[in-house]
Tab-separated table of all heavy atoms in Angstrom:
chain	number	residue	atom	x	y	z
A	1	SER	N	122.676	93.633	79.252
A	1	SER	CA	121.848	93.852	80.432
A	1	SER	C	121.448	92.492	81.014
A	1	SER	O	121.554	91.389	80.371
A	1	SER	CB	120.536	94.535	80.025
A	1	SER	OG	120.837	95.837	79.486
A	2	SER	N	120.962	92.480	82.241
A	2	SER	CA	120.497	91.291	82.925
A	2	SER	C	119.280	90.686	82.157
A	2	SER	O	118.373	91.403	81.835
A	2	SER	CB	120.157	91.555	84.377
A	2	SER	OG	119.614	90.393	84.976
A	3	SER	N	119.370	89.340	82.023
A	3	SER	CA	118.180	88.684	81.425
A	3	SER	C	117.249	88.145	82.449
A	3	SER	O	116.360	87.358	82.095
A	3	SER	CB	118.734	87.513	80.542
A	3	SER	OG	119.430	86.600	81.339
A	4	GLU	N	117.371	88.548	83.687
A	4	GLU	CA	116.469	88.061	84.769
A	4	GLU	C	115.482	89.139	85.066
A	4	GLU	O	115.809	90.373	85.017
A	4	GLU	CB	117.350	87.688	85.999
A	4	GLU	CG	118.218	86.468	85.801
A	4	GLU	CD	119.093	86.184	86.981
A	4	GLU	OE1	119.358	87.157	87.788
A	4	GLU	OE2	119.426	85.064	87.208
A	5	LEU	N	114.326	88.703	85.449
A	5	LEU	CA	113.305	89.591	86.041
A	5	LEU	C	113.236	89.347	87.536
A	5	LEU	O	113.004	88.210	87.971
A	5	LEU	CB	111.932	89.265	85.420
A	5	LEU	CG	110.725	89.890	86.086
A	5	LEU	CD1	110.729	91.406	85.970
A	5	LEU	CD2	109.407	89.366	85.498
A	6	GLU	N	113.439	90.408	88.255
A	6	GLU	CA	113.354	90.361	89.750
A	6	GLU	C	112.217	91.336	90.094
A	6	GLU	O	112.082	92.430	89.573
A	6	GLU	CB	114.615	90.802	90.437
A	6	GLU	CG	115.783	89.796	90.307
A	6	GLU	CD	116.947	90.203	91.109
A	6	GLU	OE1	116.951	89.913	92.336
A	6	GLU	OE2	117.878	90.810	90.587
A	7	TYR	N	111.414	90.949	91.134
A	7	TYR	CA	110.357	91.761	91.566
A	7	TYR	C	110.105	91.646	93.090
A	7	TYR	O	110.514	90.625	93.720
A	7	TYR	CB	109.059	91.482	90.803
A	7	TYR	CG	108.477	90.056	91.152
A	7	TYR	CD1	107.656	89.860	92.245
A	7	TYR	CD2	108.838	89.022	90.334
A	7	TYR	CE1	107.099	88.657	92.507
A	7	TYR	CE2	108.332	87.753	90.623
A	7	TYR	CZ	107.490	87.577	91.704
A	7	TYR	OH	106.958	86.340	91.969
A	8	TYR	N	109.527	92.641	93.641
A	8	TYR	CA	109.069	92.614	95.058
A	8	TYR	C	107.805	93.454	95.134
A	8	TYR	O	107.595	94.393	94.354
A	8	TYR	CB	110.148	93.063	96.062
A	8	TYR	CG	110.660	94.500	95.805
A	8	TYR	CD1	110.055	95.591	96.357
A	8	TYR	CD2	111.885	94.676	95.063
A	8	TYR	CE1	110.510	96.845	96.127
A	8	TYR	CE2	112.279	95.914	94.798
A	8	TYR	CZ	111.648	97.031	95.385
A	8	TYR	OH	112.120	98.335	95.135
A	9	ASP	N	106.911	93.098	96.049
A	9	ASP	CA	105.647	93.737	96.181
A	9	ASP	C	105.115	93.657	97.542
A	9	ASP	O	105.453	92.783	98.252
A	9	ASP	CB	104.680	93.257	95.072
A	9	ASP	CG	104.439	91.828	95.104
A	9	ASP	OD1	103.851	91.351	96.122
A	9	ASP	OD2	104.994	91.132	94.162
A	10	ILE	N	104.060	94.450	97.798
A	10	ILE	CA	103.225	94.300	99.021
A	10	ILE	C	101.757	94.198	98.539
A	10	ILE	O	101.358	94.956	97.626
A	10	ILE	CB	103.426	95.466	99.958
A	10	ILE	CG1	102.570	95.213	101.265
A	10	ILE	CG2	103.111	96.860	99.298
A	10	ILE	CD1	102.936	96.198	102.413
A	11	SER	N	101.008	93.261	99.082
A	11	SER	CA	99.687	92.957	98.600
A	11	SER	C	98.720	92.822	99.721
A	11	SER	O	99.104	92.538	100.900
A	11	SER	CB	99.636	91.651	97.725
A	11	SER	OG	100.623	91.776	96.668
A	12	LEU	N	97.418	92.902	99.469
A	12	LEU	CA	96.394	92.726	100.374
A	12	LEU	C	95.482	91.512	99.864
A	12	LEU	O	95.111	91.521	98.714
A	12	LEU	CB	95.497	93.958	100.586
A	12	LEU	CG	94.267	93.795	101.451
A	12	LEU	CD1	94.738	93.571	102.978
A	12	LEU	CD2	93.383	95.065	101.453
A	13	GLY	N	95.232	90.510	100.726
A	13	GLY	CA	94.486	89.348	100.305
A	13	GLY	C	93.206	89.190	101.093
A	13	GLY	O	93.092	89.691	102.267
A	14	TRP	N	92.201	88.639	100.522
A	14	TRP	CA	90.851	88.522	101.062
A	14	TRP	C	90.389	87.119	100.869
A	14	TRP	O	90.225	86.631	99.751
A	14	TRP	CB	89.899	89.501	100.426
A	14	TRP	CG	88.460	89.386	100.874
A	14	TRP	CD1	88.038	88.987	102.144
A	14	TRP	CD2	87.280	89.767	100.171
A	14	TRP	NE1	86.638	89.084	102.204
A	14	TRP	CE2	86.222	89.479	101.014
A	14	TRP	CE3	87.124	90.210	98.858
A	14	TRP	CZ2	84.855	89.751	100.525
A	14	TRP	CZ3	85.764	90.406	98.418
A	14	TRP	CH2	84.734	90.195	99.310
A	15	ASN	N	90.135	86.406	101.983
A	15	ASN	CA	89.624	85.020	101.919
A	15	ASN	C	88.123	85.080	101.740
A	15	ASN	O	87.328	85.227	102.696
A	15	ASN	CB	89.958	84.228	103.243
A	15	ASN	CG	91.427	84.059	103.471
A	15	ASN	OD1	92.092	83.753	102.558
A	15	ASN	ND2	91.898	84.276	104.723
A	16	VAL	N	87.679	84.923	100.554
A	16	VAL	CA	86.221	85.196	100.176
A	16	VAL	C	85.377	83.936	100.384
A	16	VAL	O	84.193	84.015	100.586
A	16	VAL	CB	86.155	85.741	98.709
A	16	VAL	CG1	86.739	87.078	98.566
A	16	VAL	CG2	86.739	84.750	97.719
A	17	LEU	N	86.027	82.736	100.229
A	17	LEU	CA	85.166	81.514	100.332
A	17	LEU	C	85.890	80.473	101.245
A	17	LEU	O	86.460	79.578	100.815
A	17	LEU	CB	85.008	80.915	98.928
A	17	LEU	CG	84.089	81.633	97.927
A	17	LEU	CD1	84.109	80.959	96.636
A	17	LEU	CD2	82.634	81.790	98.503
A	18	PRO	N	85.827	80.687	102.590
A	18	PRO	CA	86.390	79.696	103.521
A	18	PRO	C	85.544	78.496	103.539
A	18	PRO	O	84.302	78.563	103.341
A	18	PRO	CB	86.398	80.453	104.806
A	18	PRO	CG	85.253	81.469	104.733
A	18	PRO	CD	85.217	81.919	103.276
A	19	GLY	N	86.142	77.330	103.778
A	19	GLY	CA	85.427	76.067	103.844
A	19	GLY	C	86.347	74.950	104.285
A	19	GLY	O	87.252	75.149	105.075
A	20	GLU	N	85.939	73.735	103.896
A	20	GLU	CA	86.638	72.528	104.347
A	20	GLU	C	86.814	71.603	103.099
A	20	GLU	O	85.922	71.552	102.220
A	20	GLU	CB	85.962	71.816	105.478
A	20	GLU	CG	85.926	72.648	106.713
A	20	GLU	CD	85.111	71.893	107.832
A	20	GLU	OE1	84.457	70.812	107.488
A	20	GLU	OE2	85.140	72.380	108.978
A	21	VAL	N	87.869	70.908	103.140
A	21	VAL	CA	88.179	69.876	102.103
A	21	VAL	C	88.255	68.525	102.822
A	21	VAL	O	89.097	68.367	103.757
A	21	VAL	CB	89.517	70.116	101.272
A	21	VAL	CG1	89.780	68.951	100.375
A	21	VAL	CG2	89.402	71.402	100.557
A	22	PHE	N	87.363	67.620	102.467
A	22	PHE	CA	87.413	66.220	103.113
A	22	PHE	C	88.377	65.334	102.373
A	22	PHE	O	88.330	65.179	101.177
A	22	PHE	CB	85.979	65.683	103.044
A	22	PHE	CG	84.976	66.378	103.908
A	22	PHE	CD1	84.238	67.425	103.345
A	22	PHE	CD2	84.863	65.999	105.229
A	22	PHE	CE1	83.369	68.172	104.148
A	22	PHE	CE2	83.914	66.762	106.033
A	22	PHE	CZ	83.192	67.804	105.500
A	23	VAL	N	89.321	64.771	103.171
A	23	VAL	CA	90.406	64.023	102.599
A	23	VAL	C	90.388	62.549	103.030
A	23	VAL	O	91.318	61.756	102.804
A	23	VAL	CB	91.793	64.574	102.952
A	23	VAL	CG1	91.938	65.924	102.289
A	23	VAL	CG2	91.917	64.764	104.456
A	24	GLY	N	89.276	62.201	103.713
A	24	GLY	CA	89.098	60.799	104.179
A	24	GLY	C	88.061	60.682	105.234
A	24	GLY	O	87.497	61.686	105.686
A	25	PRO	N	87.791	59.428	105.704
A	25	PRO	CA	86.725	59.259	106.788
A	25	PRO	C	87.204	60.071	107.998
A	25	PRO	O	88.239	59.787	108.530
A	25	PRO	CB	86.649	57.811	106.954
A	25	PRO	CG	87.300	57.169	105.691
A	25	PRO	CD	88.299	58.183	105.215
A	26	GLY	N	86.309	60.964	108.548
A	26	GLY	CA	86.594	61.660	109.704
A	26	GLY	C	87.781	62.677	109.618
A	26	GLY	O	88.201	63.130	110.655
A	27	LYS	N	88.178	63.002	108.449
A	27	LYS	CA	89.291	63.991	108.282
A	27	LYS	C	88.982	65.041	107.295
A	27	LYS	O	88.535	64.831	106.173
A	27	LYS	CB	90.533	63.183	107.737
A	27	LYS	CG	91.810	63.965	107.630
A	27	LYS	CD	92.309	64.307	108.997
A	27	LYS	CE	93.669	65.078	108.897
A	27	LYS	NZ	94.270	65.339	110.203
A	28	ALA	N	89.191	66.297	107.748
A	28	ALA	CA	88.938	67.429	106.887
A	28	ALA	C	90.002	68.514	107.159
A	28	ALA	O	90.510	68.638	108.190
A	28	ALA	CB	87.539	68.090	107.260
A	29	TRP	N	90.286	69.207	106.045
A	29	TRP	CA	91.299	70.276	106.125
A	29	TRP	C	90.532	71.596	105.886
A	29	TRP	O	89.710	71.696	104.983
A	29	TRP	CB	92.358	70.199	105.077
A	29	TRP	CG	93.259	68.959	105.247
A	29	TRP	CD1	93.452	68.169	106.357
A	29	TRP	CD2	94.221	68.439	104.282
A	29	TRP	NE1	94.338	67.175	106.137
A	29	TRP	CE2	94.827	67.329	104.879
A	29	TRP	CE3	94.508	68.752	102.959
A	29	TRP	CZ2	95.796	66.634	104.223
A	29	TRP	CZ3	95.473	68.029	102.301
A	29	TRP	CH2	96.100	66.965	102.923
A	30	ASN	N	90.850	72.661	106.666
A	30	ASN	CA	90.352	73.943	106.419
A	30	ASN	C	90.866	74.479	105.110
A	30	ASN	O	92.035	74.211	104.753
A	30	ASN	CB	90.708	74.960	107.554
A	30	ASN	CG	89.716	74.862	108.717
A	30	ASN	OD1	88.666	74.259	108.537
A	30	ASN	ND2	90.049	75.483	109.810
A	31	SER	N	90.100	75.272	104.391
A	31	SER	CA	90.468	75.751	103.090
A	31	SER	C	89.888	77.104	102.899
A	31	SER	O	89.048	77.546	103.590
A	31	SER	CB	90.019	74.780	101.995
A	31	SER	OG	88.619	74.771	101.916
A	32	ALA	N	90.422	77.761	101.865
A	32	ALA	CA	89.871	79.138	101.523
A	32	ALA	C	90.297	79.493	100.097
A	32	ALA	O	91.460	79.206	99.643
A	32	ALA	CB	90.448	80.207	102.482
A	33	PHE	N	89.323	80.004	99.403
A	33	PHE	CA	89.632	80.616	98.064
A	33	PHE	C	89.854	82.125	98.343
A	33	PHE	O	88.948	82.738	98.988
A	33	PHE	CB	88.442	80.406	97.082
A	33	PHE	CG	88.599	81.087	95.831
A	33	PHE	CD1	89.343	80.544	94.783
A	33	PHE	CD2	88.061	82.324	95.527
A	33	PHE	CE1	89.463	81.120	93.515
A	33	PHE	CE2	88.169	82.980	94.366
A	33	PHE	CZ	88.895	82.383	93.290
A	34	TYR	N	90.887	82.683	97.844
A	34	TYR	CA	91.140	84.151	98.124
A	34	TYR	C	91.418	84.920	96.897
A	34	TYR	O	91.803	84.375	95.807
A	34	TYR	CB	92.409	84.157	99.067
A	34	TYR	CG	93.733	83.686	98.543
A	34	TYR	CD1	94.523	84.468	97.769
A	34	TYR	CD2	94.055	82.325	98.803
A	34	TYR	CE1	95.717	84.017	97.276
A	34	TYR	CE2	95.304	81.860	98.264
A	34	TYR	CZ	96.107	82.679	97.542
A	34	TYR	OH	97.207	82.193	97.051
A	35	LEU	N	91.237	86.203	97.024
A	35	LEU	CA	91.620	87.193	96.013
A	35	LEU	C	92.724	88.051	96.532
A	35	LEU	O	92.798	88.308	97.744
A	35	LEU	CB	90.397	88.073	95.626
A	35	LEU	CG	89.153	87.376	95.117
A	35	LEU	CD1	88.045	88.420	94.909
A	35	LEU	CD2	89.459	86.668	93.819
A	36	ILE	N	93.630	88.478	95.636
A	36	ILE	CA	94.793	89.189	96.128
A	36	ILE	C	95.232	90.294	95.142
A	36	ILE	O	95.012	90.068	93.892
A	36	ILE	CB	95.963	88.348	96.464
A	36	ILE	CG1	97.017	89.000	97.324
A	36	ILE	CG2	96.509	87.572	95.243
A	36	ILE	CD1	98.069	88.134	97.907
A	37	GLY	N	95.769	91.381	95.536
A	37	GLY	CA	96.249	92.431	94.656
A	37	GLY	C	97.213	93.340	95.413
A	37	GLY	O	97.152	93.502	96.600
A	38	GLY	N	98.160	93.951	94.636
A	38	GLY	CA	99.143	94.828	95.283
A	38	GLY	C	99.964	95.575	94.331
A	38	GLY	O	99.682	95.626	93.139
A	39	ILE	N	100.987	96.216	94.847
A	39	ILE	CA	101.867	97.099	94.092
A	39	ILE	C	103.283	96.872	94.471
A	39	ILE	O	103.563	96.540	95.682
A	39	ILE	CB	101.467	98.556	94.242
A	39	ILE	CG1	102.241	99.412	93.241
A	39	ILE	CG2	101.672	99.089	95.669
A	39	ILE	CD1	101.731	100.849	93.181
A	40	GLY	N	104.233	97.001	93.583
A	40	GLY	CA	105.617	96.803	93.922
A	40	GLY	C	106.566	97.305	92.832
A	40	GLY	O	106.162	98.258	92.061
A	41	ASN	N	107.683	96.671	92.651
A	41	ASN	CA	108.672	97.055	91.709
A	41	ASN	C	109.163	95.818	90.915
A	41	ASN	O	109.279	94.771	91.506
A	41	ASN	CB	109.871	97.637	92.406
A	41	ASN	CG	110.975	98.142	91.458
A	41	ASN	OD1	110.825	99.251	90.922
A	41	ASN	ND2	112.010	97.303	91.270
A	42	ALA	N	109.342	95.999	89.672
A	42	ALA	CA	109.910	94.923	88.749
A	42	ALA	C	111.157	95.513	88.032
A	42	ALA	O	111.127	96.615	87.538
A	42	ALA	CB	108.804	94.473	87.751
A	43	GLU	N	112.210	94.697	88.057
A	43	GLU	CA	113.431	95.079	87.391
A	43	GLU	C	113.653	94.086	86.228
A	43	GLU	O	113.810	92.903	86.447
A	43	GLU	CB	114.595	95.076	88.279
A	43	GLU	CG	115.974	95.497	87.635
A	43	GLU	CD	117.105	95.481	88.537
A	43	GLU	OE1	116.854	95.339	89.828
A	43	GLU	OE2	118.247	95.519	88.092
A	44	LEU	N	113.722	94.667	84.999
A	44	LEU	CA	113.950	93.846	83.817
A	44	LEU	C	114.862	94.617	82.883
A	44	LEU	O	114.659	95.814	82.639
A	44	LEU	CB	112.697	93.536	83.060
A	44	LEU	CG	112.679	92.774	81.699
A	44	LEU	CD1	113.371	91.387	81.947
A	44	LEU	CD2	111.355	92.670	81.096
A	45	ALA	N	115.910	93.936	82.433
A	45	ALA	CA	116.842	94.585	81.485
A	45	ALA	C	117.500	95.875	82.152
A	45	ALA	O	117.591	96.897	81.485
A	45	ALA	CB	116.325	94.858	80.176
A	46	ASP	N	117.770	95.815	83.450
A	46	ASP	CA	118.337	96.904	84.217
A	46	ASP	C	117.399	98.121	84.294
A	46	ASP	O	117.909	99.206	84.588
A	46	ASP	CB	119.727	97.247	83.611
A	46	ASP	CG	120.715	96.188	83.667
A	46	ASP	OD1	120.595	95.349	84.624
A	46	ASP	OD2	121.617	96.188	82.849
A	47	GLU	N	116.154	97.953	84.075
A	47	GLU	CA	115.183	99.010	84.207
A	47	GLU	C	114.237	98.722	85.370
A	47	GLU	O	113.741	97.563	85.529
A	47	GLU	CB	114.293	99.110	82.946
A	47	GLU	CG	115.098	99.545	81.742
A	47	GLU	CD	114.205	99.649	80.511
A	47	GLU	OE1	112.945	99.396	80.623
A	47	GLU	OE2	114.643	100.017	79.393
A	48	ASP	N	113.956	99.673	86.249
A	48	ASP	CA	113.044	99.533	87.306
A	48	ASP	C	111.733	100.149	86.998
A	48	ASP	O	111.691	101.288	86.549
A	48	ASP	CB	113.536	100.248	88.592
A	48	ASP	CG	114.801	99.478	89.250
A	48	ASP	OD1	114.738	98.229	89.276
A	48	ASP	OD2	115.741	100.163	89.657
């Protein structure tokens, strides 16, 4: 059987903590901490 694991899924994500990361004088990057979850299919050893 195949020794590889292949998967695909669809998920919904939620940016729960948006903010900014300061990377130098006068420079900031937008940022976000997110949660995610979903459902899909995994194939391992020829089993779906």
Side-chain angles (χ1 to χ4, degrees):
S1 302
S2 173
S3 62
E4 294 178 331
L5 167 64
E6 290 186 84
Y7 66 87
Y8 57 86
D9 56 68
I10 182 169
S11 304
L12 178 65
W14 177 28
N15 297 317
V16 293
L17 292 175
E20 295 177 352
V21 174
F22 293 89
V23 294
K27 185 69 174 180
W29 294 348
N30 274 349
S31 65
F33 175 83
Y34 62 87
L35 301 176
I36 193 165
I39 189 171
N41 182 82
E43 181 180 348
L44 175 62
D46 298 332
E47 295 180 357
D48 288 319

